[in-house]
Amino acid sequence: MTIPDAFYDENGDKLHEECGVFGVLGLDDASALTALGLHALQHRGQEAVGITSFDGIEFYTRRGNGHVAANFSSSEALSELPGNMAVGHVRYSTTGGAGLRNVQPLYADLASGGFAIAHNGNISNAMTLRRDLVTKGAIFQSTSDTEVIIHLVATSRYPTLLDRFTDALRLVEGAYSLICTTPEGMIACRDPLGIRPLVMGKLGDAIIFASETVALDVVSAEFVREIEPGELVQVSMDGQITSHRPFRNARSRMCIFEHVYFSRPDSIIGGRSVYQVRKAIGEQLAIEASIDADLVIPVPDSGTPAALGYAQQSGIPFELGIIRSHYVGRTFIQPSDGKRHADVKRKHNANRALVAGKRIVLIDDSIVRGTTSLKIVQMMREAGASEVHFRVASPPTEHSCFYGVDTPERSKLLAARMDVEEMARFIQADSLAFVSIDGLYRAVGEAQRNAARPQYCDACFSGDYPTRLTDLGDREAAVRGLATVDE
């Protein structure tokens, strides 16, 4: 099957989180601990990394493209970041695009002093706010939506920095988990729906904030609690902690894809083990979409916990029928179908001796464009599998995300263009099934999805966006304009 070039891009066929954040206050060589914490969050962003530190007098920033290890493994690099307070960020670009000027933390000298900010999420009215700020004379140094927050803080007329920061957040829409540093200390907060995660920990007298609990584990810190939706936690330089609730009617609608794919399996999200939830999703899949088969095989690595759950529930043996190379970087645009196919084989190779002549069930976390799924199915058939059945540990991804997840425009999402039977034919599987949205909710501990008041943000499956999407019309117009230029 020849697949249109429009369905290929350098980001592959997976959903990508935008970033991970980590901050520490009250520990000598805070930047070294921050680098270690960012290592644990590398899966949330592999394009660029940055750290900003404060020694009580000056702020210091170091940023670079690539992984944490490539930028912060040497003592020389960390010696450029002195102080007992630091904030760090790993990035996969969505809003703003690539480029060193968009690498966070972003820093500015405000009237009240230095201000550094690291942001996980996406501001869904950033374009509108930016236009208004530029009209009033603001000069932007990046194309990141995060810089809008800095300008809103700088132009607020409230007397204290905390009040100006709160005033700025009341103007923004969308998703954000933020860690900010100022000469007075550190501020951490989540948006009123808590769409993106953020946790607090302690290491001795030091206070730590991170996107996931695994980062606390790696630095040997104690988990204290999650930052609540709409909560703003202020930590002074002497370690005093104050909690503020500036938003009314804050309630949780955390991104359910944190459980499906984004978070590391050894993290705890919403009080639940991510690994156990993924196994439970696989169990639900086996209940809802059983099939006679000889082997259950995960698409590595993200499909593995769900495949274990499916195998245990169904009684079909679990085997590693696909071996993944961990030494292959991001898939880039290839000039021909043959080279694209070879690129997939560099990442994944069939365990031919195991799958030949077998009826297999492939388990993956999602189908986005469908191109990777097609090539995996073809690889299994070439290895001699007699039947290939595809099972997906999430509902069909029919809608784009506007809250910090890099998704294609809706017209390129396979589930937005085809029903399940058509998708099965497209990926050339003998059968295809997705876990139901109620089954997904059961796996995360809910009886079912409350349609009137959903417990999670599941807009990529349901189209039920929990906030206004002020910039959506502008984005769609921009896409239409680019399409016209391309034509």
Side-chain angles (χ1 to χ4, degrees):
M1 174 181 289
T2 300
I3 303 168
D5 287 343
F7 284 86
Y8 286 94
D9 69 5
E10 66 179 30
N11 303 326
D13 191 27
K14 285 288 184 183
L15 301 181
H16 295 272
E17 243 286 20
E18 182 182 12
C19 59
V21 295
F22 187 95
V24 57
L25 190 157
L27 193 72
D28 291 340
D29 298 322
S31 58
L33 193 78
T34 300
L36 185 58
L38 292 177
H39 271 290
L41 300 173
Q42 187 75 84
H43 59 286
R44 300 186 74 91
Q46 300 181 42
E47 184 175 275
V49 58
I51 297 176
T52 297
S53 70
F54 180 65
D55 65 359
I57 301 173
E58 297 287 342
F59 284 86
Y60 306 85
T61 296
R62 182 183 174 95
R63 299 179 291 175
N65 292 315
H67 288 189
V68 179
N71 289 278
F72 293 105
S73 289
S74 69
S75 57
E76 290 81 7
L78 293 170
S79 68
E80 297 177 12
L81 300 165
N84 73 340
M85 180 171 67
V87 60
H89 187 275
V90 287
R91 181 171 191 264
Y92 180 92
S93 65
T94 56
T95 297
L100 199 58
R101 64 175 176 161
N102 290 320
V103 179
Q104 298 185 34
L106 298 183
Y107 175 80
D109 283 306
L110 306 182
S112 56
F115 183 84
I117 183 170
H119 170 208
N120 174 209
N122 195 65
I123 306 304
S124 58
N125 65 335
M127 293 171 65
T128 302
L129 292 171
R130 184 186 182 101
R131 271 198 307 268
D132 183 59
L133 287 162
V134 169
T135 300
K136 294 177 180 177
I139 300 173
F140 281 76
Q141 301 299 311
S142 76
T143 55
S144 169
D145 61 331
T146 308
E147 192 178 356
V148 168
I149 298 174
I150 294 177
H151 284 279
L152 291 174
V153 174
T155 57
S156 174
R157 296 179 178 274
Y158 280 85
T160 69
L161 176 62
L162 183 66
D163 287 339
R164 291 197 295 274
F165 185 58
T166 301
D167 182 42
L169 295 183
R170 288 194 174 116
L171 296 174
V172 303
E173 303 167 5
Y176 53 83
S177 286
L178 300 170
I179 303 176
C180 307
T181 56
T182 76
E184 287 74 41
M186 184 170 283
I187 302 170
C189 66
R190 290 174 78 187
D191 65 77
L193 296 176
I195 296 173
R196 304 257 71 86
L198 191 64
V199 298
M200 179 168 65
K202 291 190 69 176
L203 183 60
D205 293 329
I207 302 299
I208 297 173
F209 298 101
S211 290
E212 295 183 38
T213 60
V214 66
L216 302 179
D217 296 339
V218 166
V219 301
S220 301
E222 171 193 358
F223 170 72
V224 176
R225 65 180 179 86
E226 293 188 350
I227 305 304
E228 297 295 325
E231 183 183 15
L232 189 154
V233 177
Q234 187 178 23
V235 185
S236 66
M237 291 301 291
D238 61 3
Q240 296 297 311
I241 301 173
T242 308
S243 175
H244 305 271
R245 307 278 181 162
F247 304 103
R248 296 180 180 178
N249 303 320
R251 64 184 180 90
S252 179
R253 282 199 65 180
M254 190 187 72
C255 171
I256 202 165
F257 229 100
E258 292 287 346
H259 283 298
V260 173
Y261 176 68
F262 296 139
S263 296
R264 258 179 55 164
D266 44 346
S267 281
I268 306 295
I269 298 288
R272 296 185 177 276
S273 160
V274 173
Y275 177 80
Q276 292 297 339
V277 166
R278 289 178 187 168
K279 281 189 68 178
I281 296 172
E283 293 170 4
Q284 286 293 322
L285 257 176
I287 293 168
E288 296 178 1
S290 62
I291 193 76
D292 288 333
D294 302 310
L295 299 175
V296 174
I297 294 174
V299 177
D301 290 318
S302 56
T304 301
L308 283 167
Y310 190 101
Q312 291 175 6
Q313 178 66 35
S314 67
I316 302 171
F318 170 94
E319 294 287 357
L320 296 179
I322 301 172
I323 307 303
R324 180 192 172 199
S325 171
H326 291 269
Y327 304 99
V328 179
R330 182 179 302 165
T331 302
F332 284 88
I333 296 172
Q334 300 293 340
S336 70
D337 286 337
K339 290 188 177 181
R340 288 168 182 154
H341 190 65
D343 189 81
V344 171
K345 283 199 163 188
R346 287 193 302 119
K347 287 187 174 182
H348 299 104
N349 191 49
N351 191 344
R352 185 178 297 271
L354 182 70
V355 305
K358 299 294 195 305
R359 301 169 299 167
I360 64 172
V361 182
L362 289 174
I363 310 289
D364 205 355
D365 60 88
S366 60
I367 292 180
V368 183
R369 299 171 185 256
T371 52
T372 298
S373 303
L374 165 63
K375 288 177 282 188
I376 293 291
V377 171
Q378 289 175 334
M379 184 172 64
M380 292 291 98
R381 294 201 187 280
E382 291 170 4
S386 60
E387 295 178 15
V388 182
H389 303 276
F390 213 100
R391 298 293 180 266
V392 185
S394 62
T397 303
E398 296 186 39
H399 304 271
S400 299
C401 177
F402 301 96
Y403 301 120
V405 179
D406 183 46
T407 53
E409 61 188 82
R410 193 171 184 225
S411 64
K412 293 181 181 179
L413 294 171
L414 196 66
R417 301 166 49 244
M418 301 180 183
D419 61 26
V420 174
E421 289 187 3
E422 291 171 327
M423 293 173 72
R425 288 194 294 271
F426 179 87
I427 68 171
Q428 300 180 6
D430 291 289
S431 70
L432 170 66
F434 297 79
V435 73
S436 68
I437 197 161
D438 282 339
L440 178 58
Y441 270 77
R442 282 191 289 272
V444 297
E446 305 288 347
Q448 62 183 14
R449 181 181 187 268
N450 184 336
R453 193 178 175 88
Q455 303 95 314
Y456 287 86
C457 178
D458 54 28
C460 54
F461 309 132
S462 66
D464 182 2
Y465 294 98
T467 73
R468 290 179 294 179
L469 300 175
T470 299
D471 290 343
L472 181 56
D474 289 342
R475 292 184 185 184
E476 290 177 339
V479 169
R480 288 194 298 270
L482 288 172
T484 302
V485 171
D486 290 340
E487 291 168 1

